[in-house]
Amino acid sequence: MALLDVGAMFAAVAVAGALANRLGQSVIPAYILVGMLLGEFVLGRLSLPGLGTVYVPETEFISLGAELGIVFLLFFLGLEFNLDRLLARRRPIGTAGTIDLANFGAGLVLGWLVFGAFLPAFLIAGIVYISSSAVITKSLIDLGWIANDEAEPMLGTLVYEDLFIAVYLTVASALVLGGGDVAAAATDIGIAIAFILALLALVRFGTPAFERLVATDDKEFVALRSIAAVVLVAGVSLALGVSEAVAAFFVGMAFSSTGRVHEIETLLEPVRDTFAAVFFFWIGLVTDPALFGDVAALVALAVVVTTPTKLVTGYLAGRAFDLDARRSTRVALGMTTRGEFSLIIATVAVTGANAGTFDPALAGTINAFAVGYVLVMAVLGTTLMGYSAPFESLAVSWLGESGTGDGATSG
């Protein structure tokens, strides 16, 4: 039955992805929704005539595949960010990213007001803070904005967020697995931060070793060695209590300085997309839609509070890169999208519940909130980007055209 379950999963995500693509929407909400529909909380509650209860269970393959999905998503994100390139643009990236941290503060206040405790508020802050690198990058490509001036502040802010969230995930994982006791988790946090520093050193000085690792004309070995490196380091990271996503991001950055980046991306892109689909399907599979009723008000409140804050900080990020009102508005609209990282943060709570260090009911609530919030914000963000023209005109009429960022492109 395990093979049948996996086959049903892949068939479902293939159909859901094709439908979302035809409707011009992100595939992420589609994968999550089909996971919920086929899981034990929806299909599993129905008794089919002659078959009884039939649903796709959370098998070991699906769980491991989801973990690999996280690893490959963040590995590819790291491939996009060469360390030297980041350092060259560190001033505007730092300014835009620091402005963007206001969203984390808003989330922390929101979480504290709702839950009245630091740890759940800390997790909520991360969920509403981080924009979706995967969905935003795909939208930039689909809309033809990737070569325009607005792409740089968006990608630069995403880099800042990803570096911030790398440390955040380390601390969050240590706190959750330590039962929320800061003192008890101090040793784990120290080990995790030391490991991150080691990964940074690997990025800074390990390029020659990674270059030699993939120095072969055999594409099979390039693919296998790249996968071996990222999965092995991610596994070590997880064993030390550090997020595998963080480790994968840094390994990607290490590979980004080699001369084989394009080849690695070409070879592994289907692998990334396959396991990313499994990850989003798994998120839906472990989410009980019945909990949405309990978190609907919180999701609505978060959307109302955090959409304006992202719009304001996104606009100011565009200004930090000296863009005009029209292109800064595009940055603002694009940055509202939330996605994979918000769901990864929610899995920290689920992992803690499975380990017995975090309240299972609270973990279920946070996971349901994250899924509902991402579904709304992914659709809202991609829609705002697709229909940006009236917002651009409004911004120009209100704020004028000051700035020098109009560039050579006009799309």
Side-chain angles (χ1 to χ4, degrees), residues 249-329:
F249 176 74
F250 282 114
V251 173
M253 285 190 70
F255 272 108
S256 72
S257 298
T258 69
R260 311 297 288 268
V261 175
H262 179 69
E263 184 178 3
I264 292 171
E265 288 178 331
T266 302
L267 290 171
L268 297 187
E269 186 175 359
V271 179
R272 177 203 65 188
D273 292 343
T274 299
F275 285 105
V278 176
F279 167 64
F280 294 121
F281 180 88
W282 173 80
I283 287 290
L285 203 65
V286 299
T287 300
D288 186 354
L291 294 175
F292 285 159
D294 298 330
V295 299
L298 177 56
V299 170
L301 180 61
V303 171
V304 170
V305 170
T306 63
T307 301
T309 59
K310 270 291 184 182
L311 289 172
V312 172
T313 58
Y315 183 86
L316 294 176
R319 289 302 203 186
F321 278 77
D322 202 22
L323 299 190
D324 61 21
R326 183 166 69 91
R327 296 197 183 277
S328 294
T329 299

Side-chain angles (χ1 to χ4, degrees), residues 159-184:
V159 171
Y160 187 104
E161 288 185 349
D162 293 338
L163 293 175
F164 175 87
I165 220 72
V167 178
Y168 166 89
L169 277 173
T170 299
V171 175
S173 297
L175 288 174
V176 169
L177 294 176
D181 188 335
V182 177

Side-chain angles (χ1 to χ4, degrees), residues 69-90:
I70 297 172
V71 168
F72 287 119
L73 277 171
L74 275 297
F75 173 67
F76 265 73
L77 189 60
L79 287 175
E80 296 298 320
F81 301 118
N82 181 280
L83 186 61
D84 293 333
R85 177 180 141 206
L86 293 181
L87 292 176
R89 297 291 283 161
R90 62 186 178 276

Side-chain angles (χ1 to χ4, degrees), residues 45-62:
R45 288 172 176 163
L46 302 176
S47 182
L48 304 178
L51 295 175
T53 303
V54 179
Y55 64 93
V56 177
E58 184 191 0
T59 65
E60 186 175 351
F61 176 87
I62 293 176

Side-chain angles (χ1 to χ4, degrees), residues 223-408:
L224 286 173
R225 291 173 187 179
S226 301
I227 292 173
V230 65
V231 175
L232 183 60
V233 174
V236 172
S237 175
L238 202 58
L240 292 174
V242 183
S243 167
E244 70 274 31
V246 174
F249 176 74
F250 282 114
V251 173
M253 285 190 70
F255 272 108
S256 72
S257 298
T258 69
R260 311 297 288 268
V261 175
H262 179 69
E263 184 178 3
I264 292 171
E265 288 178 331
T266 302
L267 290 171
L268 297 187
E269 186 175 359
V271 179
R272 177 203 65 188
D273 292 343
T274 299
F275 285 105
V278 176
F279 167 64
F280 294 121
F281 180 88
W282 173 80
I283 287 290
L285 203 65
V286 299
T287 300
D288 186 354
L291 294 175
F292 285 159
D294 298 330
V295 299
L298 177 56
V299 170
L301 180 61
V303 171
V304 170
V305 170
T306 63
T307 301
T309 59
K310 270 291 184 182
L311 289 172
V312 172
T313 58
Y315 183 86
L316 294 176
R319 289 302 203 186
F321 278 77
D322 202 22
L323 299 190
D324 61 21
R326 183 166 69 91
R327 296 197 183 277
S328 294
T329 299
R330 287 187 173 187
V331 177
L333 297 174
M335 294 304 295
T336 59
T337 304
R338 311 303 204 279
E340 66 283 352
F341 254 133
S342 298
L343 298 174
I344 290 170
I345 293 168
T347 64
V348 172
V350 175
T351 301
N354 293 337
T357 57
F358 196 76
D359 178 40
L362 185 56
T365 298
I366 291 174
N367 186 61
F369 163 75
V371 174
Y373 181 71
V374 165
L375 287 172
V376 174
M377 298 307 290
V379 173
L380 177 63
T382 52
T383 302
L384 288 174
M385 290 181 75
Y387 297 93
S388 66
F391 299 101
E392 294 172 33
S393 299
L394 187 63
V396 169
S397 65
W398 282 3
L399 303 167
E401 285 285 356
S402 61
T404 60
D406 202 31

